[in-house]
Amino acid sequence: MNPVKSIVAPLALVVCLASGLISTNGNAGVIRNLEFNTPGVLPSADPQIELFNNTGTAETTLFNVTGGLLEQRTRFEDGNATYSFPDTALSGGGLDAALATTLETRLRVNSINGNGGVAISAFDGAARYTLSFTVGAVRVFHGASQFEVINLDISQFHTYRIDSAGGTSDFDFFIDDVLTFSGVAVASTSNGFNFGDGTTTAGNGANADWDFIRVSQEDIAVIPEPPVSLLFIGMAALVL
């Protein structure tokens, strides 16, 4: 074995560890990944997803799965028709406020009346991360139920993503992987997620096509910055 290689390889690992370049992933998991690939199978087929529906119209009229899309047709409905995980009370959804949270969806809004006819939220027991849609814009909720209005052609498919680091309510919002807004989430003690027609106001509703919905969490353990003395030891070892 080359004596130089036998020394340099482990020393290089020491330097990488000393400089904080190596991190380890702890617990990671997808809470739910809904892709709507089976025609006719609605989200409520999942025993942990319930539809809250006070519109007076049957679920199969309001929603349909075809062509890889969940078709929402609630534009002319009064009331709320929203899918919730794990139940309509949004309790015990398994999300942990100490873990990093990602809420991601891809959809288009074909037509809409008013506000809130299309909405999606995730709740981790401490914070609520919410997007809703209005004519020509997406609204990102933050602070004390305030919202940022981002003008956008919502009739085209876009991918929307909220990322929040564990242990904080701070979040970043991306549209098609482009950072668009950063804020602090609305406080909430609910736990789970929901999506669909999120308004109970008469005359508000929307027709939309959901491509996928994904809620996941991850615990990322990052090695802290090393003391300067450890860096000098690693550098000196390499020189020797």
Side-chain angles (χ1 to χ4, degrees):
M1 178 182 291
N2 188 322
V4 174
K5 289 184 178 180
S6 64
I7 295 174
V8 171
L11 289 180
L13 178 61
V14 169
V15 173
C16 286
L17 288 170
S19 59
L21 296 178
I22 294 180
S23 63
T24 59
N25 288 332
N27 298 322
V30 175
I31 306 300
R32 277 298 185 275
N33 181 26
L34 307 177
E35 294 189 342
F36 315 115
N37 291 325
T38 305
V41 178
L42 293 168
S44 56
D46 183 326
Q48 285 194 292
I49 295 181
E50 295 181 0
L51 176 66
F52 176 83
N53 179 12
N54 63 3
T55 65
T57 302
E59 176 184 10
T60 52
T61 300
L62 301 175
F63 296 95
N64 183 42
V65 174
T66 184
L69 300 173
L70 172 66
E71 297 178 340
Q72 173 187 325
R73 300 295 182 258
T74 61
R75 181 179 178 184
F76 300 108
E77 300 292 333
D78 292 337
N80 186 342
T82 303
Y83 287 105
S84 300
F85 171 91
D87 50 46
T88 56
L90 292 171
S91 59
L95 277 70
D96 186 343
L99 303 182
T101 300
T102 295
L103 170 65
E104 186 174 19
T105 186
R106 178 174 172 81
L107 76 153
R108 66 184 173 196
V109 181
N110 303 312
S111 56
I112 189 168
N113 293 334
N115 301 320
V118 180
I120 182 169
S121 301
F123 308 79
D124 65 8
R128 168 169 68 93
Y129 306 96
T130 297
L131 304 176
S132 72
F133 297 81
T134 186
V135 177
V138 55
R139 305 191 304 175
V140 187
F141 283 74
H142 62 96
S145 293
Q146 301 170 321
F147 54 83
E148 183 78 7
V149 177
I150 299 171
N151 294 324
L152 184 70
D153 181 4
I154 61 175
S155 68
Q156 302 297 315
F157 274 110
H158 296 285
T159 300
Y160 306 93
R161 187 178 86 246
I162 290 178
D163 287 339
S164 178
T168 175
S169 295
D170 296 345
F171 70 89
D172 293 326
F173 172 60
F174 299 81
I175 299 177
D176 298 326
D177 291 327
V178 176
L179 179 61
T180 306
F181 177 75
S182 297
V184 179
V186 179
S188 174
T189 58
S190 298
N191 194 299
F193 68 88
N194 60 16
F195 62 94
D197 187 331
T199 180
T200 57
T201 305
N204 284 4
N207 293 343
D209 297 325
W210 300 80
D211 185 15
F212 71 84
I213 296 166
R214 189 174 301 123
V215 180
S216 58
Q217 291 202 302
E218 185 171 12
D219 180 12
I220 303 177
V222 180
I223 297 173
E225 290 296 324
V228 176
S229 59
L230 182 57
L231 286 175
F232 278 119
I233 292 172
M235 293 174 63
L238 280 180
V239 170
L240 290 175

